[in-house]
Amino acid sequence: MIVDGRKRVVIENITPQINCGRFPAKRVVGEKVQVQADVFSDGHDQVLASLLYRKTGARKWNQVAMQPLVNDRWQAEFVINEISEYEFTVQGWIDHFRTWQKDLFKKYDDGQNIDVDLMVGVNLLKEINERAKKADKKKFEKFISVLEGEDKSEAIGLALSEEIRELTDKYPDHNRATIYSKTMKIVVDRPKALFSTWYEMFPRSTADDSKKHGTFKYCQQKIPEIAGMGFDVLYLPPIHPIGRTNRKGKNNNPKSKKGDPGSPWAIGSKEGGHMAIHPELGTLEDFKELIKTAGEHGMEIAMDIAFQCSPDHPYLKEHPEWFKRRPDGSIQFAENPPKKYEDIVPINFETENWEELWKELKDVIAYWIDKGIRIFRVDNPHTKSLAFWEWVILEIKTEYPDIIFLSEAFTRPKLMYRLAKAGFTQSYTYFTWRNSKHEILHYMNELTKTEVAEFLRPNFWPNTPDILPEYLQYGGRPAFIIKLILAATLSSNYGIYGPAFELLVNEALPGREEYLDSEKYEIKNWNYKVKGNLRELIGIINKIRKDNPALQATRNIRFLPVDNEYLLAFEKSADGDTDTIIVIVNLSPYHKHSGWLELPLDEWGISESQTFLVHDLIAKDKYVWQGRRNYIEINPHSMPGHIFKVHRKLRRESDFDYYM
Amino acid sequence: MIVDGRKRVVIENITPQINCGRFPAKRVVGEKVQVQADVFSDGHDQVLASLLYRKTGARKWNQVAMQPLVNDRWQAEFVINEISEYEFTVQGWIDHFRTWQKDLFKKYDDGQNIDVDLMVGVNLLKEINERAKKADKKKFEKFISVLEGEDKSEAIGLALSEEIRELTDKYPDHNRATIYSKTMKIVVDRPKALFSTWYEMFPRSTADDSKKHGTFKYCQQKIPEIAGMGFDVLYLPPIHPIGRTNRKGKNNNPKSKKGDPGSPWAIGSKEGGHMAIHPELGTLEDFKELIKTAGEHGMEIAMDIAFQCSPDHPYLKEHPEWFKRRPDGSIQFAENPPKKYEDIVPINFETENWEELWKELKDVIAYWIDKGIRIFRVDNPHTKSLAFWEWVILEIKTEYPDIIFLSEAFTRPKLMYRLAKAGFTQSYTYFTWRNSKHEILHYMNELTKTEVAEFLRPNFWPNTPDILPEYLQYGGRPAFIIKLILAATLSSNYGIYGPAFELLVNEALPGREEYLDSEKYEIKNWNYKVKGNLRELIGIINKIRKDNPALQATRNIRFLPVDNEYLLAFEKSADGDTDTIIVIVNLSPYHKHSGWLELPLDEWGISESQTFLVHDLIAKDKYVWQGRRNYIEINPHSMPGHIFKVHRKLRRESDFDYYM
C-alpha cells in the first residue's frame, strides 16, 4: 500500500475542485486559474509547493512555485493560452536546504556556535550539486569552498544569502515529493463564453408589413441596426417547421384560429423536424446567408435547441419508442400538472432505445454546426436527462471546442448548477427576479465569490419571451433602464428579449409574468420608433462594455458601501487595474435617492487629499472627486444610474487639461 | 462509459465526507450518524432517496428512507451498534407511482378528466405487483380492481390514498436507481472515546516522603482517591528508563546535579528503551498490578507514547541508521532553533530503513497492549510522519478496535486536524488558551458545528506539565474553577494535570507559561491538604458529568444568549431530550457580573407563563424559574459558575413536592 513512507508532505483541499474533481472548472483563453491548496508536513521543516499544470495529453507538467498565504495555505496561478482542456495538480516537498538556512539564521542570531552547521550546509550543497546543470556546478564548488574556508564571516554571509538559496532552489529534491492524488480539469472556451451581448428576436416578426410573415431575408436587413446597438449574438427562437396538431392560438389559447402561426417551440411537421427550416422563414441557403451577413457585422447567430416535438414531428412515426403512449393509445403530451402543453410531446429519456436517441440528438447539433452555427441556446435543459447533457456537450466540444451552449433553465438552484457543471458554457439565472439591494448583493456573492464562480458563467436577462417580471410591469421606463444597466454591468454576459424590452413593452396577462399578446403565439409588427425607446441608450451601454475590459468579466466585482438601501454601487477593474469602472444605480424606479458612497481609495493608491477625475460614461459628464466618501444623488426619472470610469492616476501632464 | 443513460437521478455533496471520502468520520457505539445529500433529477418527477449502510464487509446494505429537507437536500440517520467499521452511501431513484399520484391529485383538484390517468395507474400497479411478495399480491389485485371499477369516486379515493402509496413504497423500482459512486466510512470506537475524564500524574512524585522516588506501588495507593474524585483515566508520563547523557536539571537546566531524576521524556538508558520500565518505579509486575487496581476502581491507565530517544537509548546502537549524525560525528539532537533539547534525539522518519522503523514502533504499542494498556496519550505526534500515524493506528485498531489514541499536538490547526483525520481517537485543543466569550464561542463552533466535529474529538485540558496558561497564573482560585467547569462541561472528554491543578499551583517561570520548578525535571512532594484545594469540587463536577448523559457528548452544545460579555451560557441535552443541562459561567475571575439569560423555552415545550424547576447541581440550590428571560448574577469569589439541571416537565404529582 505505502510506496514510500518517507513522503512527509500532505496536500489537502485544492481549489478549484468541483465535486471532488468530478467536474472541470471553466475558463476562457486569456483568463487566469488561481489554485490554492493546504500544503504542510509534520515538524518544523521548510515546506515548498508547486502548481503543476499542462494541456491535457501533454507529457510534461509546467511548474509554478506556489506562494504561502496564511495558515498553511499556498497559492499560484497560471494563464490559459489555448482552447484546450487543461489539467492541474499540486506538488509539495520538504526543502532541506531552506530548512538548514532558516535554522542557521536563528542559531547565528542567538549567538550559537555554527561551525558544524556550516559543514552540514556543505554536505547539502554537495548533494544538490549532483543534480545541478553543468553551468551551475562551478558556482556550487565556489560556494562550497567559501563555506569550508577560513573566513567565517564570509562563510556565514554567503550561507544566509539569497544568492545561495536562489541557486539551490533551481534543483529541488523531488524524490520524496508528494503529488496530490487527483488532477483537476479546466475546460476552456473562446472569449465569447465570458463576454457576450445577446439580442433575442423572432424572425417571423421582421417583415415590413404586419400581415406578412417575416423571413431570414428581412432578418438580414435588421442586422446592421442590431449590430449598431452593440449586440454580438442574435438569438433566434426555433426556426423549424411548426406543428399543426393542437397548435396554440393567441395568448396560449388551446384552440388556434386559421392563420395563427403557432409556437415555434412546437417543433416538427410534415415539412420536417429539428434539421428542417420552417418554410415561411426561407431556405437553408437564406439561413446561411443570414449567418454570413451577421458575421460581417461582428455578430453570430445563436440557435435554439429545444428537444421536444409537436405531435406532427417525423420522429413520432420514425421512432414511436421515444415517446410515451397512454393506455387509451393517445400520445402523452407535455404537462406539469395541472398545466398542459398539448402542442408539445416530450421525448422520453427513459426509452429503451436511449442510445439511438442520444446519437440522433447529437446529430441535430452537429448538423447545424456544419451549417455554420457556433452558439446554441438550449431550451429547458432541466427537463432532459442530465447524463445526456454531460455526454452530448463533451462529445460536441471534443470535436468543436469553440461551441457555446447557453442553459435556459429557470428551475431549482441545485439543478441549475448541475447543468452548468455538466458542461453548459453559460447559464440563465435568477437575475430576472432580483431587484432589491439585499437580493442583488446576496445573489452576486453566490455567483462570483463561491465555488459557483468556477463552473457557472451567468448570463443576465431582464426579460425573456416567457417572463415579463413585475418590476418591469410596474416600474415604468426607469425600471427598464435600471435592469438594463444592472444586467450589462453586473454580468459580462447579458441579453435582452429585444423588441419587447427596448420598446418598453410592459403589459402582462393579469396577475402573471407572461406577456399579453405574447409573440410566442403571434406575429408582431414592432414600432421601433416608439417614444422613449431605449435603442440609443442600449447602444451607449454596449459601447461602454466594449470599450472597458473591466466590464468584460463577472468575477471581478466588488460592492462598495452606500448608506442608502436603494443605492447599489460596485467596482470592477481589469487589465492590471488600469481600467476601473464604478457603477451606481438607484434601484427605485419611483423616487430620488441620495447617499454617501465609500470608495476603496487605498486599493486605488489615491490619498485622502488627492483629487481624481471620474467620468460618467452614460451622461458623458466629468467630476473631480476627493476623499473616501462622495455624495451621490440619483433621480430615476432623468437617469437611474451612473457608469463612472475612474482615472486612478494622472500619468501625463496633458491629463490635467481635463479639468484645469 | 455510460452503462445506462436512463439513470436520471444525480447525487451530490454527501455529508459526512472527509477529504472526498479519503478519511472516515468518527463515532462511538450508540451514537447516530446523520447523513445528508443533494438528490435530484431533471424534470418534475418524484425523486426518492435512501441511505445505504452496513458494517464494512457485510454483503447486504441496510436501507433507511431519506426525508426531504429544503432545496433538494435529503437526510436520514442510522445508529452505530457495534465496534466495527461502517460504510454508507446514498441511493436515489424516480418513483413513477408517486409521480403519478402527485400529478393525479393536481389534475383532479383542477377538475380535469382523469379516466385515462386511472388506467395509467392500473398499469403501474401491475408492473409493481410483479415485484411484490406473495402476501401483498392479493392487495395489489384488489386495488387494481377498484381502480378499474365502475365506482369512480371509490377509485379516485383509493388512487389518492396513503394506503396505496404505502403498499407501492414497499416495492420501489431500483433498476435505474443511482448509487453514489463512493462509499464513506465510519470508524467506530468504544464509548470512552467520547466520554472520559483524565488525571495526569507523575508516578515518581507519589512517595510519602519527598526524599523518596515514587513507585507504582505508591501510585496504587493513590488510586482510590483519584477514582473518588471521579476520574476514569489515569495518565502517566513515560515510565521508561531515563537517559543519563545530557540529563536536564531543575527548571530545564542543561546541566543536572547529582540526584536529579531527569525528564521522563528522555527515554532510554542502558536499562532499556520503550519496552522497559524505569527501575526506580518498580517492575513490570508492579505495573500490571497498578493496571489491575485501577481497573477495580473503574479507571484505566493511559500510557505515554513518546517516539524519541535519550542519547543512551539502545536504539542508537541497534539502529544507528534511524538517527541523523552531524558531519563531526556527533548525534543530531532535537532542536527547534534556537531552542535545543540536548537530552533528546529525534528519530529520523526519512531514514532509508523506514519500514523496519515503523514495524518496531508498532511493536512498542503492541507490547504495552499485551500488558493490559488500552489508552495511549501520544506525545508530540506532529513531529513524526503523518503517513506513519495513519498506518500504525489502522494496523493497531484493526487488531484491537478498543484502543484509544490521544493526540498531544499543540501546533498549527491544519496539522492538528490532519492528525485527527489520520486516526487519532481524541485530540488536545486550543481550549487551554481560549478565555473570552468570543474566543470560546468561535472555537466551540469550529469544533462542534463544522466538518471538524465529524473527525476530531476534543479533549480539553486547562493545564499540562508543559503549559501553565496566564489565565491560571493571574486569575487566582476562581480562574481554576472557571476553567474546570468549562473543560468539564464544554467537552465530554477533559483532563487535568492533576496535583498542580487541584492544588492551585500558579507560579510560572517569569514571562512564560512554563511551571516554575516543573515536575518534568524534579520529584515533587505535593501537599494535598493545601487550603482551598479543588479536590472536593472536582469530585462534585465529575459526579455531575457521570450522572447526566447531556454532559457525555460534545456536539450537542447550544449557546444561549446572555447580555453580558463575561457571562457564557450554554445548553446540552441528551437521552431524547429528557436530560437537559444549562451551564452558566462568569468568565471574569475578578469581578461580579450579571445579565439576562435567554432560554429556549419553545424547544423545551415550556410556555412563557409556566414555572419550571432548575436545580443547581454544584451549589445544590433549587430555583423556580418562569419565562424566557432570567436574571443571573455571579460572583466568581463564591462560585464562578452554575450547572443547572432543568426539570422540563412535571410528569408525576410527586414532582410537585420539590417546591410546594
Side-chain angles (χ1 to χ4, degrees), chain A residues 2-8 10-13 17 19-21 23 38-45 70-73 94 96 102-104 106-107 110 112-113 116-117 119-120 123 176 180 182 324 326-328 330 332 335-340 349-355 358 381-388 391 411-415 418 421, chain B residues 2-8 10-13 17 19-21 23 38-45 70-73 94 96 102-104 106-107 110 112-113 116-117 119-120 123 176 180 182 324 326-328 330 332 335-340 349-355 358 381-388 391 411-415 418 421:
Chain A
I2 292 159
V3 178
D4 188 345
R6 291 168 296 173
K7 293 185 176 181
R8 290 166 47 207
V10 297
I11 302 171
E12 295 190 323
N13 193 18
Q17 185 174 189
N19 288 40
C20 297
F23 297 107
D38 297 338
V39 187
F40 53 94
S41 162
D42 63 277
H44 310 286
D45 290 341
V70 292
N71 197 12
D72 290 319
R73 193 123 184 102
I94 287 167
H96 290 292
K102 182 182 73 173
D103 289 353
L104 187 77
K106 287 181 189 160
K107 289 175 183 178
D110 193 47
Q112 298 177 17
N113 181 314
V116 179
D117 296 279
M119 288 160 68
V120 172
N123 288 348
R176 290 166 206 162
Y180 190 65
K182 281 182 287 196
K324 278 192 196 162
R326 287 156 49 97
D328 64 349
S330 67
Q332 174 68 60
E335 57 177 21
N336 184 8
K339 283 188 272 180
K340 295 176 176 186
F349 278 81
E350 290 187 350
T351 172
E352 300 287 326
N353 195 11
W354 62 273
E355 282 175 291
W358 286 22
H382 58 287
T383 59
K384 287 96 197 172
S385 151
L386 286 154
F388 164 69
W391 173 83
T411 182
R412 284 132 48 224
K414 283 176 184 163
L415 186 44
R418 180 76 180 207
K421 291 177 187 175
Chain B
I2 291 158
V3 179
D4 189 344
R6 292 167 297 175
K7 292 185 175 180
R8 290 168 47 207
V10 296
I11 302 171
E12 294 189 324
N13 192 17
Q17 184 175 189
N19 289 39
C20 296
F23 297 106
D38 297 338
V39 187
F40 53 94
S41 163
D42 63 278
H44 310 285
D45 290 342
V70 291
N71 196 13
D72 290 319
R73 193 122 184 102
I94 288 167
H96 290 292
K102 181 182 72 173
D103 289 352
L104 187 78
K106 288 182 188 158
K107 291 174 182 179
D110 192 48
Q112 299 177 16
N113 181 313
V116 179
D117 296 280
M119 287 160 67
V120 172
N123 288 349
R176 291 169 207 160
Y180 189 66
K182 281 182 289 197
K324 279 193 196 161
R326 289 158 44 100
D328 64 348
S330 66
Q332 174 68 60
E335 58 178 18
N336 186 7
K339 281 189 273 177
K340 297 175 176 185
F349 279 80
E350 291 187 349
T351 172
E352 301 288 325
N353 195 11
W354 61 273
E355 283 176 291
W358 286 22
H382 58 287
T383 58
K384 286 98 199 172
S385 150
L386 286 154
F388 164 70
W391 173 83
T411 182
R412 284 129 50 219
K414 283 175 185 165
L415 186 45
R418 180 75 179 209
K421 292 176 185 176

Side-chain angles (χ1 to χ4, degrees), chain A residues 72-277:
Chain A
D72 290 319
R73 193 123 184 102
W74 294 72
Q75 177 178 300
E77 57 189 35
F78 64 99
V79 174
I80 299 291
N81 293 318
E82 281 183 53
I83 302 188
S84 158
E85 189 187 271
Y86 281 68
E87 58 183 13
F88 70 90
T89 191
V90 167
Q91 174 175 249
W93 66 96
I94 287 167
D95 190 287
H96 290 292
F97 189 84
R98 278 182 177 243
T99 304
W100 171 81
Q101 200 182 38
K102 182 182 73 173
D103 289 353
L104 187 77
F105 176 77
K106 287 181 189 160
K107 289 175 183 178
Y108 174 72
D109 200 46
D110 193 47
Q112 298 177 17
N113 181 314
I114 55 172
D115 289 355
V116 179
D117 296 279
L118 287 174
M119 288 160 68
V120 172
V122 166
N123 288 348
L124 283 170
L125 286 176
K126 285 179 178 167
E127 206 183 296
I128 300 168
N129 193 19
E130 284 172 27
R131 292 192 295 276
K133 282 189 193 151
K134 215 173 167 189
D136 283 328
K137 286 196 183 286
K138 275 245 168 80
K139 227 174 186 180
F140 271 100
E141 280 153 29
K142 198 190 126 202
F143 287 175
I144 288 168
S145 75
V146 172
L147 258 58
E148 288 178 331
E150 291 298 298
D151 188 338
K152 285 292 161 209
S153 81
E154 192 193 357
I156 292 166
L158 176 69
L160 300 179
S161 70
E162 266 191 51
E163 190 188 4
I164 199 167
R165 198 176 64 227
E166 271 165 22
L167 181 67
T168 56
D169 273 357
K170 288 168 76 176
Y171 304 102
D173 180 8
H174 286 167
N175 262 331
R176 290 166 206 162
T178 302
I179 296 186
Y180 190 65
S181 58
K182 281 182 287 196
T183 60
M184 273 56 64
K185 307 276 187 203
I186 307 286
V187 71
V188 176
D189 293 294
R190 60 184 168 120
K192 194 168 233 113
L194 180 61
F195 176 51
S196 61
T197 313
W198 292 53
Y199 190 83
E200 177 170 3
M201 183 179 77
F202 285 69
R204 67 189 185 191
S205 297
T206 51
D208 48 10
D209 173 342
S210 71
K211 281 166 201 136
K212 280 200 277 184
H213 193 288
T215 63
F216 293 139
K217 284 204 194 299
Y218 280 117
C219 273
Q220 219 166 313
Q221 294 171 15
K222 297 247 173 250
I223 292 282
E225 290 168 40
I226 300 169
M229 281 192 280
F231 293 99
D232 54 20
V233 180
L234 175 61
Y235 152 51
L236 309 178
I239 57 168
H240 314 299
I242 295 170
R244 286 173 186 84
T245 304
N246 298 335
R247 178 178 281 193
K248 293 288 176 96
K250 274 187 76 154
N251 285 315
N252 202 20
N253 194 322
K255 296 239 180 299
S256 61
K257 290 189 183 136
K258 213 188 146 200
D260 279 341
S263 160
W265 283 275
I267 294 170
S269 73
K270 65 173 193 286
E271 288 86 1
H274 284 78
M275 295 194 209
I277 283 177

Side-chain angles (χ1 to χ4, degrees), chain A residues 295-482:
Chain A
E296 287 161 6
H297 287 80
M299 293 184 76
E300 294 185 52
I301 302 295
M303 222 173 131
D304 198 304
I305 287 284
F307 283 142
Q308 57 198 24
C309 300
S310 101
D312 308 325
H313 196 293
Y315 284 161
L316 273 90
K317 282 191 185 128
E318 293 162 14
H319 288 286
E321 79 280 10
W322 290 352
F323 304 91
K324 278 192 196 162
R325 295 245 157 217
R326 287 156 49 97
D328 64 349
S330 67
I331 196 83
Q332 174 68 60
F333 296 115
E335 57 177 21
N336 184 8
K339 283 188 272 180
K340 295 176 176 186
Y341 308 90
E342 297 97 334
D343 59 340
I344 289 172
V345 182
I347 293 170
N348 176 16
F349 278 81
E350 290 187 350
T351 172
E352 300 287 326
N353 195 11
W354 62 273
E355 282 175 291
E356 207 177 332
L357 168 68
W358 286 22
K359 280 190 192 114
E360 170 68 17
L361 299 182
K362 178 190 155 188
D363 287 349
V364 168
I365 298 170
Y367 176 85
W368 293 109
I369 290 172
D370 181 58
K371 303 298 170 281
I373 292 294
R374 287 289 174 276
I375 306 182
F376 296 94
R377 176 271 199 192
V378 178
D379 188 71
N380 276 348
H382 58 287
T383 59
K384 287 96 197 172
S385 151
L386 286 154
F388 164 69
W389 291 123
E390 194 176 348
W391 173 83
V392 79
I393 293 174
L394 183 65
E395 286 275 310
I396 291 289
K397 295 198 71 162
T398 301
E399 200 167 345
Y400 311 99
D402 61 335
I403 303 301
I404 289 172
F405 291 96
L406 166 62
S407 158
E408 187 257 353
F410 290 110
T411 182
R412 284 132 48 224
K414 283 176 184 163
L415 186 44
M416 287 170 69
Y417 288 160
R418 180 76 180 207
L419 286 161
K421 291 177 187 175
F424 280 93
T425 326
Q426 301 182 352
S427 303
Y428 279 59
T429 68
Y430 300 135
F431 165 76
T432 317
W433 298 279
R434 295 292 177 270
N435 305 315
S436 76
K437 185 165 170 174
H438 173 79
E439 285 170 347
I440 294 170
L441 284 174
H442 184 81
Y443 192 46
M444 286 304 295
N445 183 58
E446 183 171 322
L447 292 180
T448 65
K449 308 298 172 198
T450 71
E451 188 194 54
V452 174
E454 299 288 352
F455 62 79
L456 183 138
R457 289 194 197 94
N459 192 329
F460 278 8
W461 290 71
N463 73 328
T464 77
D466 291 323
I467 312 160
L468 173 61
E470 288 175 349
Y471 190 81
L472 295 183
Q473 291 181 37
Y474 301 109
R477 187 173 181 269
F480 280 79
I481 300 178
I482 291 164

